[in-house]
Amino acid sequence: MFRNYKVRTDLALEARERFDEKDIKIRGVFVRENYNEEKEIRTTVVRIETENGAKTMGKPQGTYITIEAPNMSVPDEEYHKEISEEIAHHILELLPSKKTESVLVVGLGNHQVTPDALGPKVVDNLHITRHVIREYGRDLLEDDTSIMVSAIVPGVMAQTGMETLEIVQGIIQETKPDVVIAVDALAARSTKRLNRTIQITNAGINPGSGVGNHREGLNEETLGIRVIGIGIPTVVDAATIVHDAMEHLLDALEEQEQREFLDEMIAPNLNQMFVTPKDVDETIKRLSFTISEGLNLAFRQV
């Protein structure tokens, strides 16, 4: 069928939905869904608990929490405050069980490319406390329960000549945080989820996901400490849009005919193109603030 045509997504929820279409149950993968009708926020938790599940899903083992809010793209401060509170709640769930005293936030992406600027802009709005606490102690802060928060925007390889992993490893060696929180733009399978979905996971993150340029992953295996990844899909594969547009036209064709048609019609260069909404500048500014407020709230509650 047409739906079998391979398209890419960074969302574990969308990876799982591919198998729902075929009514396939995956051993080692568990899904739990909750819908808050009052807030219009749907939360889906996908837990990949076995190697078989990870291999089938094409995602590392771990917990993937997806927050879907159709009105997230609307400039409603009260609504975004509720989303920030939801983010904080799930961040606290994924923090290590032992007392967390210091956090390093890594804003992944390229500040000069708007759809890829989510991570850097989140860092711009964070309440950074490490230097204050180290110099004057916690008493100077409004909330003396605040943990030490530091942050870095490592840029991209074309700007630094270094892998993001190398930079973060060096910082961890010197500052010794208890946990890393990495924020990056992602790519979605569905245009309906662009800028309306947040994924939070304890499986880490791969820098460059949003623009299809995967680098070495930031995770517990490579960094030696818990890594929480936060991402919002800001782009969709151009070939995916073409597929969706052709879906009804192809329904009347046999499976082999569908594949032959797609091979002829989908230009190879489309696989290197990504599409983002026209209002992405304002949306990234708004959503980055929503995430940073969620992180600030979580850090005050640790």
Side-chain angles (χ1 to χ4, degrees), residues 13-255:
L13 174 60
E14 291 187 328
R16 182 64 187 86
E17 286 175 343
R18 290 189 295 111
F19 297 97
D20 288 339
E21 291 176 352
K22 306 169 191 175
D23 197 26
I24 295 175
K25 304 298 180 184
I26 306 174
R27 293 177 60 186
V29 178
F30 301 91
V31 181
R32 175 169 51 87
E33 185 178 292
N34 177 63
Y35 181 63
N36 188 318
E37 189 172 350
E38 182 180 350
K39 297 181 179 179
E40 295 185 80
I41 296 176
R42 184 181 304 278
T43 304
T44 306
V45 179
V46 177
R47 292 200 325 272
I48 304 176
E49 298 185 344
T50 65
E51 291 184 9
N52 173 71
K55 183 177 180 181
T56 305
M57 290 277 289
K59 305 289 179 187
Q61 288 179 239
T63 299
Y64 297 80
I65 301 167
T66 306
I67 302 170
E68 296 179 89
N71 295 324
M72 196 185 297
S73 58
V74 178
D76 183 334
E77 289 187 14
E78 286 302 313
Y79 188 70
H80 280 262
K81 182 179 178 181
E82 293 178 345
I83 296 173
S84 294
E85 291 171 352
E86 191 79 10
I87 293 171
H89 169 72
H90 293 299
I91 290 293
L92 292 171
E93 283 185 331
L94 295 181
L95 285 175
S97 55
K98 69 174 185 177
K99 176 65 176 175
T100 301
E101 296 186 352
S102 61
V103 171
L104 170 64
V105 180
V106 181
L108 300 169
N110 189 339
H111 224 311
Q112 299 176 357
V113 180
T114 305
D116 195 35
L118 179 70
K121 288 186 178 294
V122 166
V123 169
D124 287 344
N125 296 306
L126 281 179
H127 184 202
I128 305 299
T129 61
R130 182 176 183 270
H131 60 302
V132 177
I133 292 174
R134 283 168 58 87
E135 186 72 23
Y136 305 105
R138 299 177 189 275
D139 294 338
L140 193 64
L141 300 174
E142 294 180 6
D143 184 353
D144 60 6
T145 62
S146 294
I147 61 175
M148 290 195 293
V149 179
S150 55
I152 182 68
V153 177
V156 294
M157 182 175 282
Q159 297 169 326
T160 66
M162 294 178 283
E163 284 277 4
T164 299
L165 177 61
E166 296 173 325
I167 297 172
V168 177
Q169 283 175 329
I171 294 171
I172 289 175
Q173 185 176 349
E174 291 296 322
T175 63
K176 297 178 172 55
D178 296 318
V179 62
V180 167
I181 297 180
V183 185
D184 198 9
L186 306 176
R189 162 65 181 88
S190 169
T191 55
K192 295 179 181 178
R193 287 196 168 101
L194 289 182
N195 301 324
R196 295 179 178 88
T197 305
I198 300 171
Q199 178 172 270
I200 306 172
T201 176
N202 60 6
I205 204 162
N206 282 82
S209 294
V211 292
N213 182 28
H214 289 272
R215 312 304 306 178
E216 289 195 58
L218 305 181
N219 51 55
E220 192 163 355
E221 182 179 354
T222 58
L223 295 179
I225 58 176
R226 173 70 59 85
V227 179
I228 297 175
I230 304 177
I232 292 179
T234 61
V235 297
V236 65
D237 187 329
T240 296
I241 296 177
V242 176
H243 296 165
D244 291 344
M246 291 182 175
E247 183 170 11
H248 296 297
L249 294 175
L250 296 177
D251 281 343
L253 301 179
E254 297 294 333
E255 182 175 351

